Amino acid sequence: MAETLNIGVIVGTTREGRFADKALEWFERKIAAREDMSYEVLDLREAALPFFDEVAPPAAKPVTDPKAQAWGERLKHFDGFIVLTAEYNHSIPASIKNAFDYAFEGWRRKPLGTVGYGGVGAARAVEHLRLVAINFGMVPVAGAVSIGGADFVKASQGTPISELGDHLEGPVKALLDDMAFWGRAAKSAKAEA
């Protein structure tokens, strides 16, 4: 079997009462079942990054804020990332953009996957996040999970995501398979470089 990939699962919203906790509880069972990857939850609420206020972006100059320095160092240990995201006003939550803005090397040349949720399954937020990721030289994977429409309403009202039916199984498998493929490919290419 190939080397186990270390995947960071980023909880992207920080507000009280967030749906992200429901999505995370469900998704953790899915990724934990994989033998080709391990994972660690990176909760942006716990990271408590200040709003970006550096003299230059991290690609040009190291950040000075201690929380941001710790965040950037932590990212370097992962082979890829899956972001759990809501959609705020047709885009990603500011907390996610801020987390990207505060790091550079930790994101580079790694795959990025998404689990989106909301009325339209965070489709527009996912597309925006993919564009942001490309700027960091990341590989946004095609596989994605979208919890939207009636599924989102039911889960918001208390139905566990695991009880919504098996129609989310295919997207979860596609997402994790893509993360495994691109994670191994990127890791191999970086080792050769």
Side-chain angles (χ1 to χ4, degrees):
M1 176 180 267
E3 182 181 356
T4 301
L5 297 171
N6 188 21
I7 304 298
V9 176
I10 299 174
V11 182
T13 59
T14 58
R15 65 181 183 77
E16 291 300 319
R18 63 189 182 180
F19 184 86
D21 294 324
K22 294 176 184 186
L24 177 64
E25 179 184 356
W26 169 77
F27 187 70
E28 277 191 282
R29 286 190 225 117
K30 304 301 180 184
I31 194 169
R34 295 287 294 226
E35 294 182 5
D36 55 352
M37 58 184 69
S38 62
Y39 76 97
E40 183 179 337
V41 174
L42 303 170
D43 191 336
L44 294 183
R45 182 188 286 167
E46 293 171 7
L49 294 167
F51 195 72
F52 186 81
D53 189 24
E54 298 284 328
V55 297
K61 186 174 181 174
V63 296
T64 59
D65 183 87
K67 287 182 179 178
Q69 290 171 341
W71 172 250
E73 283 303 310
R74 193 171 183 199
L75 297 179
K76 291 178 183 178
H77 302 287
F78 293 97
D79 300 310
F81 301 94
I82 297 173
V83 178
L84 278 61
T85 186
E87 183 170 310
Y88 289 1
N89 300 308
H90 289 217
S91 188
I92 55 178
S95 51
I96 294 174
K97 182 63 166 65
N98 195 52
F100 269 81
D101 289 344
Y102 258 125
F104 185 71
E105 285 302 322
W107 300 120
R108 287 179 45 76
R109 297 182 174 150
K110 297 176 183 178
L112 176 86
T114 57
V115 175
Y117 52 85
V120 295
R124 295 164 294 212
V126 166
E127 289 305 309
H128 186 191
L129 183 56
R130 287 173 171 165
L131 291 173
V132 171
I134 289 168
N135 182 66
F136 290 91
M138 299 181 83
V139 179
V141 302
V145 178
S146 179
I147 303 168
D151 286 340
F152 178 69
V153 171
K154 289 176 188 174
S156 295
Q157 295 172 343
T159 301
I161 296 171
S162 60
E163 294 179 16
L164 294 176
D166 61 2
H167 59 281
L168 293 174
E169 295 303 315
V172 169
K173 183 177 183 327
L175 166 61
L176 295 176
D177 285 351
D178 278 356
M179 290 297 296
F181 177 86
W182 289 108
R184 285 191 305 269
K187 195 170 185 176
S188 175
K190 284 187 289 188
E192 290 177 14

